[in-house]
Amino acid sequence: MAPPTTGSDASRVDRSSPLPLWAQVLADLRRRLDAGDFADAFPGELVLVDEYGVSRHTVREALRRLRGEGLVVAERGRAPRLAGAVEIEQPIGALYSLFASVEAAGLRQHSVVRTLDVRADGVVAVRLGLEESTPLLYLERLRLAGDEPLAVDRVWLPARLAAPLLDVDFSHTALYTELSRRCGISLTKGTEHIRAVVPTPAERALLNIDDQVGALAIDRLAQRRGEPIEWRRTLVRGDRFAVTADFAARTGYRLDVAGTLPHTHPHTHKPRKLR
């Protein structure tokens, strides 16, 4: 086989091998990743086509497999890059602000406000313990971290309490900060259901991810001294956000198994000790 025009001997493929070309490219890219060959930057598709002397379709199939293994990240209009550790980690068991979590990670938090109005939503009102026609303040934002999409965030609050928030510019401020400052409301506790989901095509477009990247759906009901105040549904990119939990040999950990529907109550199990 004639050598490729560029690249090392180890980057060649064997056209007489029964192994498909994409599989050979994939295996060699794995080897090179393990060897640290791409510490500075991961090559683009056209560079790999030239190095291996194969078609762009072959390279794309190898890259698709690498994305599936979580080794490489590729987004619309951007060159492939090495997948690093998730940028934002949030501990389970804390009433947290996504705004604060992002900035604590050293990233600038910015939001594109898609909707801020008052509306009725019978399903959400019931979740908040209200009559179905109760007016609710609704805020929908595309949350960005470091100028890259992170999450689509949708929040409902009773309008009688949260109406002053209609005048807030939420492009760079925390909802909980404004809720406390303008409405005199500080949330004290809440419950969350976190599950893996397949985003819709419209959601993928908003988050700028392809079909190889999953997402976490986080449903939150937050309270003030036992009174439901906030219902929130957040869809967050799985490649940029993770939840963590602490556990100990003596106290074990608590596993709450929730149903697939957002309104299903979890079945709580006793803490299990490590074995």
Side-chain angles (χ1 to χ4, degrees):
M1 182 191 72
T5 56
T6 62
S8 66
D9 288 346
S11 298
R12 300 173 184 172
V13 295
D14 182 1
R15 296 183 184 275
S16 65
S17 169
L19 197 63
L21 295 181
W22 66 261
Q24 295 184 50
V25 173
L26 174 62
D28 194 58
L29 286 174
R30 287 193 191 118
R31 178 193 63 77
R32 296 171 70 185
L33 283 166
D34 290 341
D37 288 0
F38 307 126
D40 294 330
F42 192 85
E45 288 182 2
L46 293 180
V47 173
L48 294 175
V49 166
D50 192 35
E51 284 189 357
Y52 288 97
V54 296
S55 71
R56 196 164 187 175
H57 174 78
T58 296
V59 166
R60 284 179 172 171
E61 179 61 21
L63 291 177
R64 187 181 73 83
R65 305 286 176 134
L66 287 179
R67 289 197 301 271
E69 296 170 10
L71 298 175
V72 168
V73 176
E75 299 169 352
R76 294 183 184 90
R78 298 187 61 178
R81 66 182 191 275
L82 295 183
V86 292
E87 298 167 278
I88 302 156
E89 291 192 3
Q90 176 58 49
I92 294 174
L95 184 59
Y96 64 91
S97 161
L98 186 58
F99 179 97
S101 296
V102 170
E103 302 226 324
L107 299 170
R108 180 178 181 273
Q109 196 280 155
H110 177 69
S111 295
V112 176
V113 178
R114 293 170 51 81
T115 307
L116 176 58
D117 62 18
V118 174
R119 61 180 63 187
D121 188 310
V123 173
V124 174
V126 169
R127 289 185 175 125
L128 291 171
L130 303 171
E131 198 275 327
E132 292 184 6
S133 62
T134 302
L136 303 172
L137 183 140
Y138 175 67
L139 171 63
E140 179 177 327
R141 292 172 290 174
L142 175 64
R143 313 290 296 272
L144 298 99
D147 296 324
E148 288 292 329
L150 172 66
V152 179
D153 199 31
R154 302 175 176 98
V155 179
W156 293 261
L157 302 151
R160 64 179 176 84
L161 300 175
L165 299 182
L166 289 169
D167 297 326
V168 175
D169 177 6
F170 281 103
S171 61
H172 189 262
T173 189
L175 172 63
Y176 290 172
T177 298
E178 299 298 332
L179 187 63
S180 175
R181 185 173 68 180
R182 295 174 182 256
C183 306
I185 296 174
S186 297
L187 303 179
T188 55
K189 63 178 295 186
T191 58
E192 283 190 342
H193 299 276
I194 304 174
R195 64 193 188 281
V197 297
V198 177
T200 66
E203 290 168 337
R204 290 192 182 281
L206 276 176
L207 294 172
N208 194 29
I209 56 176
D210 60 25
D211 59 6
Q212 300 298 312
V213 178
L216 296 174
I218 305 173
D219 290 341
R220 172 186 293 189
L221 179 64
Q223 303 175 8
R224 175 186 61 175
R225 297 188 298 274
E227 177 189 9
I229 297 293
E230 174 199 34
W231 174 259
R232 181 187 299 240
R233 175 161 290 168
T234 303
L235 184 71
V236 61
R237 284 173 52 160
D239 62 340
R240 303 197 70 195
F241 184 86
V243 291
T244 61
D246 292 326
F247 54 89
R250 184 178 65 83
T251 59
Y253 64 93
R254 183 174 297 278
L255 175 65
D256 292 333
V257 182
T260 57
L261 297 178
H263 62 270
T264 302
H265 293 289
H267 305 287
T268 303
H269 296 260
K270 293 182 179 180
R272 296 171 57 189
K273 291 191 176 180
L274 305 179
R275 302 187 185 278

